[in-house]
Amino acid sequence: MSATGSTTARTQRFSRLREFISAPEGRPALLGCLGAALITVGGLGAGSTKQHDPVLESIHLSWLRFGHGLVLSSVLLWFGVAAMLVAWLTLGRRAIAGNASEYTMVATTGFWLAPLLLSVPVFSRDTYSYLAQGALLRDGLDPYAVGPVDNPNPLLDNVSPIWTITTAPYGPAFVMVARLVTMLVGNHVIAGTMLLRLCMLPGLALLIWAAPRVARHLGANGPTALWICVLNPLVIIHLMGGVHNEMLMVGLMMAGIALTFERHPVAGITLVAVGVAVKATAGIALPFLVWVWMRQLRERRGYRPLAAFAAAGAYSVLIFVAVFAVLSGLAGVGLGWLTALAGSVKIINWLTIPTATANLVHAIGGWFFPVNFYAVLHVTRAAGIVIIGVSLPLLWWRFRHDDREALAGIAWAMLVVVLFVPAALPWYYTWPLAVVAALAQSRPAVAAIAGFSTWIMVIFKPDGAHGMYSWIHVLIATACAMVAWYSLYRAPEPGVETAESLSTP
């Protein structure tokens, strides 16, 4: 393209963006941007800040972290969350009515994300663990054999105490990303956090690319899919604002699913395998994609069913092994990260059925007889693992007949895993949300997703703690969730011009 043509294209893009901002469809983008800016400012005091922050001290703002300053910071941050939720729900009503385009969703994502790129981590301290684990590999230690405590440095000061002795539960691809970040910025926590957040952007870009493609493949609405799994506050605030490697994993997994559906199974399986090398959860999708590849071999090459299944399964295994061999070799690590996946047992909250059941048995049963909470928890969590072990093969066999069923099977399998693993955190629910975005697009389903996402968003505190043991906090979160559900459940029906909602960016 010539320089003149490039200039013209840029001018057209800016002109379209100006029109978008001035139009009614741009109002949620501006409101959400204001909310994100408030989160960024409030996060300086109320977010998951460093234990000792020389930047705040140098500009005389360390008072934001204590006393009245902390109250002010918290108020600003929660007002920001409220503004983003209102903007998201407003955009959801437009999506239900068929008045939102993919361009609207993508442009809005940019407005909401921009302020958060400068934010301290919010609602989680995991980014500090990522940096400490990357420093282990950088300094010649095996993050799958030792915890951050074995490598004393300034990064260790900000890691949550329960994770200082825990080995890395992440695959070789992500520990290499974390190592690269610490090699570039050393032990500088602030620069490391900012750079690590930028490393999550490819995952977001892949999700923006893949979600509408999968939706269109199944005859669903692309803008609604983007609203569910990209603009969702659990993604924008938790995954990007909180800096979680789920952003990379989910993006790679969805891009792999999209490519496999579009008859590029080798590239698709490869991307999903790389996603597994970030976090193991992406592996749930692989067995279901074998069915998709099998059908393509039957349709395009005339394979018999058994031969097609054997070929698709063998090719998938070979690709998976090759990807892991290459990435593990580059990282210089083995498969020790798989043994660290059990580290989540240290987390105790109400977000999974086994842990919630143990809490209820302890709370209610304690009124009548002595209850050993940890003994009950051991039993309920063991039962949860059994349920997962039985459910996944059954779901894999049940959802095998076409692409829609394969995607539904992945969604159900991920939901079962999230609900019955020993412990979960808010951003874990972005796994099934990304997959279900093309499937759950009826008004009741969208309203249910809005209510659930709002509850999860509000029940956690900006410093990474949760409010599930405070009835006031639970009631506030539930009230917010009901308002979110009702606002979309009563949204206007689509108009005649719904075809416009399928426009591409």
Side-chain angles (χ1 to χ4, degrees):
M1 181 182 293
S2 65
T4 303
S6 178
T7 302
T8 302
R10 283 197 300 270
T11 302
Q12 291 174 343
R13 285 196 294 269
F14 282 124
S15 176
R16 186 177 185 184
L17 189 60
R18 284 195 299 269
E19 292 176 3
F20 167 75
I21 294 173
S22 60
E25 64 182 354
R27 292 171 188 167
L30 297 177
L31 178 60
C33 183
L34 173 62
L38 290 174
I39 291 173
T40 298
V41 175
L44 292 173
S48 304
T49 54
K50 291 178 58 181
Q51 297 294 330
H52 305 286
D53 195 327
V55 175
L56 286 182
E57 293 170 1
S58 65
I59 58 178
H60 307 292
L61 289 179
S62 57
W63 58 272
L64 288 172
R65 301 175 57 190
F66 309 100
H68 297 302
L70 178 57
V71 173
L72 175 62
S73 298
S74 300
V75 169
L76 288 174
L77 191 146
W78 280 116
F79 267 113
V81 171
M84 293 195 74
L85 283 170
V86 170
W88 182 58
L89 295 172
T90 302
L91 202 56
R93 290 174 65 87
R94 294 184 64 90
I96 289 176
N99 295 326
S101 67
E102 287 182 23
Y103 178 84
T104 296
M105 299 299 180
V106 174
T108 300
T109 301
F111 276 94
W112 291 6
L113 181 62
L116 290 175
L117 294 178
L118 301 176
S119 170
V120 303
V122 288
F123 293 93
S124 173
R125 304 185 66 84
D126 279 8
T127 184
Y128 304 126
S129 297
Y130 298 159
L131 293 172
Q133 290 158 359
L136 284 171
L137 193 61
R138 176 200 66 189
D139 296 338
L141 300 173
D142 186 351
Y144 302 155
V146 298
V149 72
D150 291 287
N151 187 32
N153 58 58
L155 296 173
L156 185 62
D157 296 339
N158 301 286
V159 180
S160 297
I162 63 171
W163 303 125
T164 57
I165 59 173
T166 304
T167 55
Y170 311 115
F174 184 70
V175 295
M176 281 197 294
V177 170
R179 177 181 65 178
L180 176 63
V181 170
T182 57
M183 288 175 65
L184 292 174
V185 303
N187 295 328
H188 196 288
V189 179
I190 296 175
T193 297
M194 298 298 181
L195 183 56
L196 197 57
R197 182 181 279 121
L198 294 179
C199 292
M200 303 301 132
L201 286 176
L204 181 63
L206 286 172
L207 186 58
I208 290 172
W209 175 84
R213 296 179 82 91
V214 172
R216 288 193 294 270
H217 180 78
L218 300 181
N221 184 278
T224 302
L226 288 169
W227 181 85
I228 291 172
C229 71
V230 173
L231 288 158
N232 194 305
L234 294 181
V235 174
I236 297 295
I237 299 177
H238 272 291
L239 293 194
M240 291 304 301
V243 194
H244 289 288
N245 57 14
E246 265 85 0
M247 189 74 263
L248 278 178
M249 183 272 288
V250 168
L252 287 164
M253 178 186 70
M254 286 304 298
I257 291 172
L259 286 171
T260 304
F261 282 174
E262 294 178 355
R263 300 182 179 274
H264 302 292
V266 174
I269 298 295
T270 300
L271 281 186
V272 176
V274 176
V276 179
V278 173
K279 196 162 187 174
T281 315
I284 295 172
L286 285 173
F288 293 92
L289 295 182
V290 171
W291 293 127
V292 178
W293 197 351
M294 169 190 167
R295 286 191 298 276
Q296 293 173 2
L297 289 173
R298 292 183 62 190
E299 294 168 3
R300 299 172 65 184
R301 301 191 180 183
Y303 280 37
R304 294 181 179 274
L306 186 59
F309 176 79
Y315 293 152
S316 298
V317 170
L318 286 174
I319 292 170
F320 183 82
V321 171
V323 168
F324 261 81
V326 170
L327 293 176
S328 297
L330 291 174
V333 296
L335 298 177
W337 62 287
L338 295 174
T339 61
L341 295 175
S344 63
V345 298
K346 298 178 180 179
I347 303 169
I348 298 178
N349 59 39
W350 292 70
L351 287 186
T352 65
I353 291 176
T355 309
T357 301
N359 275 301
L360 287 172
V361 170
H362 180 256
I364 298 173
W367 287 93
F368 305 101
F369 48 82
V371 177
N372 185 324
F373 171 74
Y374 289 100
V376 174
L377 183 64
H378 179 76
V379 172
T380 57
R381 284 180 166 178
I385 296 299
V386 171
I387 290 171
I388 292 173
V390 172
S391 299
L392 295 193
L394 293 177
L395 290 169
W396 175 71
W397 182 253
R398 163 63 180 82
F399 293 97
R400 69 185 189 279
H401 300 101
D402 55 39
D403 291 355
R404 175 178 288 275
E405 282 201 4
L407 193 67
I410 297 170
W412 278 112
M414 288 197 163
L415 184 61
V416 167
V417 169
V418 172
L419 289 177
F420 289 97
V421 289
L425 291 164
W427 45 93
Y428 287 20
Y429 286 90
T430 61
W431 313 341
L433 277 175
V435 182
V436 84
L439 301 169
Q441 296 199 351
S442 66
R443 189 172 62 174
V446 168
I449 289 171
F452 176 78
S453 300
T454 299
W455 191 88
I456 293 290
M457 186 70 244
V458 176
I459 199 64
F460 268 72
K461 300 177 182 179
D463 62 355
H466 65 79
M468 295 179 205
Y469 295 112
S470 166
W471 283 110
I472 294 177
H473 199 144
V474 171
L475 289 174
I476 291 173
T478 304
C480 292
M482 292 300 295
V483 170
W485 168 82
Y486 186 79
S487 69
L488 292 192
Y489 187 77
R490 303 296 297 177
E493 293 285 354
V496 178
E497 304 85 1
T498 54
E500 292 298 322
S501 66
L502 296 175
S503 63
T504 56

